[in-house]
Amino acid sequence: MINTASVLNINFLELKQGIDALVAGGTTCLHIDVMDGHYVPNLCMPVKFIHEIHQAYPQLTLDVHLMVDDPATYIGQMQEAGTDYFCFHTDSTRFVRRTINQIRAAGMKPGITINPSQRIDEMLPYMEYVDMVMLMAVEPGFAGQALLPGSMERLAEIAELRKQYGCSFLISVDGGIDYEKGHQCKEIGVDMIVGTVHTIFKQPDGITEACRRFERELG
Ligand code: DX5
Ligand code: ZN
């Protein structure tokens, strides 16, 4: 599985050291949360930041998670900033298919995110058109929350639907994953885990060593 480390978990006063430590540990993908204060009650990560990360670390895949109303508004800016995966919530727009098409046309990989309040089968109309389905295992908006019960079963449901319909999207899970759940994710067929405090950040041996452990145990 790919460790897509959540930048939100780094102390912003130490961002560069944090990202350098991730890279030294072999991280190839960063998860960048964008919140507009409307879709979720929090604000973070301006487009400028994504651009600067892309300039400084062009080798990294940028997995951008948009927790915003009307995500299509940001397609042009995200493309210019260097976004690879443009992942948005299916309940944040009335025009999911159109948004997916526009993201693809702009040269990015479209992903959809399913909230804890949504049924998994809400992804059915879109799953053949996306490169990623990301399950929220916590309520969106804040880092460091505990994983919601039932999340593993929901991931298994996504994996089953992918198999049943012969789709090729990657399955990602965002929020609260520790090593025990990480191993379960691997068995289920999850492809990407958003790196959390429990796996990557605030680990006793530091970020770099934590990335190596992820690679050894879950990679
Ligand atoms: C929450 C964010 C997550 C968060 C995950 O809204 O989307 O990316 O940073 O990290 P943890 O597991 O620390 O909550
Ligand atoms: Zn996220």
Side-chain angles (χ1 to χ4, degrees), residues 76-87:
Q77 294 181 67
M78 288 298 163
Q79 184 230 348
E80 279 174 31
T83 297
D84 294 293
Y85 286 95
F86 183 118
C87 204

Side-chain angles (χ1 to χ4, degrees), residues 31 33 65 174:
H31 180 89
D33 291 301
H65 174 198
D174 190 6

Side-chain angles (χ1 to χ4, degrees), residues 10-195:
I10 303 175
N11 178 337
F12 286 178
L13 297 181
E14 295 164 7
L15 262 175
K16 186 165 185 329
Q17 296 99 299
I19 297 171
D20 285 344
L22 289 168
V23 170
T27 298
T28 58
C29 186
L30 290 185
H31 180 89
I32 303 177
D33 291 301
V34 175
M35 308 181 192
D36 67 351
H38 295 279
Y39 181 74
V40 287
N42 200 357
L43 294 160
C44 77
M45 301 304 182
V47 180
K48 174 178 180 287
F49 173 77
I50 298 166
H51 179 70
E52 287 166 354
I53 296 272
H54 179 61
Q55 295 292 310
Y57 304 91
Q59 77 278 22
L60 294 179
T61 300
L62 302 185
D63 163 29
V64 180
H65 174 198
L66 288 102
M67 287 161 274
V68 301
D69 282 344
D70 198 10
T73 315
Y74 303 95
I75 290 172
Q77 294 181 67
M78 288 298 163
Q79 184 230 348
E80 279 174 31
T83 297
D84 294 293
Y85 286 95
F86 183 118
C87 204
F88 68 99
H89 287 251
T90 56
D91 60 4
S92 65
T93 172
R94 276 174 286 161
F95 304 108
V96 176
R97 280 284 299 277
R98 184 198 290 169
T99 304
I100 290 169
N101 290 342
Q102 289 174 339
I103 295 166
R104 177 95 55 210
M108 295 176 288
K109 294 178 175 162
I112 51 169
T113 306
I114 306 293
N115 266 336
S117 304
Q118 291 181 285
R119 289 169 56 114
I120 296 301
D121 59 13
E122 287 184 39
M123 71 184 214
L124 278 172
Y126 319 116
M127 61 186 194
E128 64 182 289
Y129 307 109
V130 294
D131 289 325
M132 184 199 293
V133 172
M134 184 167 76
L135 182 78
M136 291 308 300
V138 298
E139 292 291 353
F142 298 92
Q145 303 177 73
L147 180 127
L148 290 164
S151 298
M152 293 301 121
E153 290 76 5
R154 284 162 65 74
L155 284 169
E157 219 182 306
I158 295 173
E160 184 49 42
L161 284 173
R162 175 171 68 176
K163 194 169 146 200
Q164 198 181 325
Y165 287 87
C167 294
S168 56
F169 58 81
L170 299 177
I171 301 175
S172 178
V173 57
D174 190 6
I177 300 290
D178 58 14
Y179 272 94
E180 190 198 330
K181 296 295 179 199
H183 284 287
Q184 292 176 24
C185 286
K186 200 169 176 177
E187 268 176 42
I188 289 168
V190 171
D191 305 286
M192 298 169 94
I193 289 185
V194 175

